[in-house]
Amino acid sequence: MSMKEIYHIKEKKEKKCVKISSERNGKEFRKEKIMRENVTVFEHPLIKHKISLIRNKDCGTREFRTVIGEIAMLMGYEVLRDLETELVDIETPMEKTKGPMIKGKKLAIVPILRAGLGMVDGMLSLVPTAKVGHVGMYRDEETLEPKEYYCKLPVDIDQRLVLIVDPMLATGGSADAAVEFVKKQGAKQIKFVSILAAPEGVKYLSEKHPDIQIYCGEVDRGLNEHGYIMPGLGDAGDRIFGTK
């Protein structure tokens, strides 16, 4: 085979790859009206599959709680792929060498109470040394405005990557308030992680805080008149803890 023929085959393969990549990106960002550079919606089949499991109204408390943790772990793997590392000295059973390890103070996981607690163990299974803070919020059922009642964070929060976690990003009000609290405490690196989100919440949070990265497992159709995500999965806190 001549070099000209080899080059022609290579060029066709590259063009095909570009087309596939373009089609895939188009699918991932089909909700382009709400997507911003600081928003990532995961397309991993395991995440999608497990979200479908917890949507089911017949999914019991134990299974719901377990699967929420599994989704959090899968999402955490992707969210933390840009953690900074440094080479350290290691002595293996065979010889001395160097290997990469996470650099600095690592991270802090900050769940928005109470539903956010369901995502903590999944995240900690990846990074057991992470510190855990808490932000207590509740939503006024009439105004839908967030009300805070508790905030406790690690004292060195300014030196850590902060993952604020909440299974649901609905109106964006509670998420916005939580981000503001954490920023006031000195946090400089913040990522917000939710399993399900409404377009309204994604748009609101991404515009209010363009400096943070937002991660979602899925973006649903929208909110109903009561501020619940549709089709959603109901009240995540009630389903995690078995309350009504």
Side-chain angles (χ1 to χ4, degrees), residues 27-61:
K27 180 181 178 182
E28 288 178 0
F29 297 102
R30 59 192 178 277
K31 303 177 181 71
E32 59 183 13
K33 290 184 179 179
I34 62 159
M35 293 297 103
R36 303 289 190 276
E37 287 185 359
N38 63 327
V39 178
T40 299
V41 181
F42 293 119
E43 292 295 329
H44 196 291
L46 282 176
I47 293 176
K48 299 299 187 187
H49 172 80
K50 291 177 184 295
I51 288 175
S52 294
L53 290 178
I54 59 175
R55 284 190 193 275
N56 191 332
K57 65 183 180 63
D58 295 323
C59 180
T61 301

Side-chain angles (χ1 to χ4, degrees), residues 95-166:
E95 64 179 10
K96 291 182 179 180
T97 186
K98 289 184 179 293
M101 295 192 73
I102 296 173
K103 183 179 180 180
K105 290 287 187 177
K106 303 180 178 64
L107 69 149
I109 303 166
V110 180
I112 298 178
L113 301 178
R114 62 185 170 133
L117 290 172
M119 298 177 68
V120 173
D121 285 347
M123 295 285 186
L124 285 176
S125 66
L126 293 174
V127 192
T129 57
K131 296 290 182 69
V132 179
H134 298 87
V135 174
M137 309 283 299
Y138 71 92
R139 185 172 63 168
D140 187 295
E141 293 300 327
E142 293 185 3
T143 66
L144 302 183
E145 292 297 318
K147 304 289 184 181
E148 80 281 357
Y149 64 89
Y150 186 76
C151 183
K152 183 75 171 180
L153 302 173
V155 294
D156 57 355
I157 197 74
D158 60 318
Q159 301 175 49
R160 294 176 178 269
L161 168 62
V162 181
L163 302 185
I164 300 178
V165 299
D166 193 346

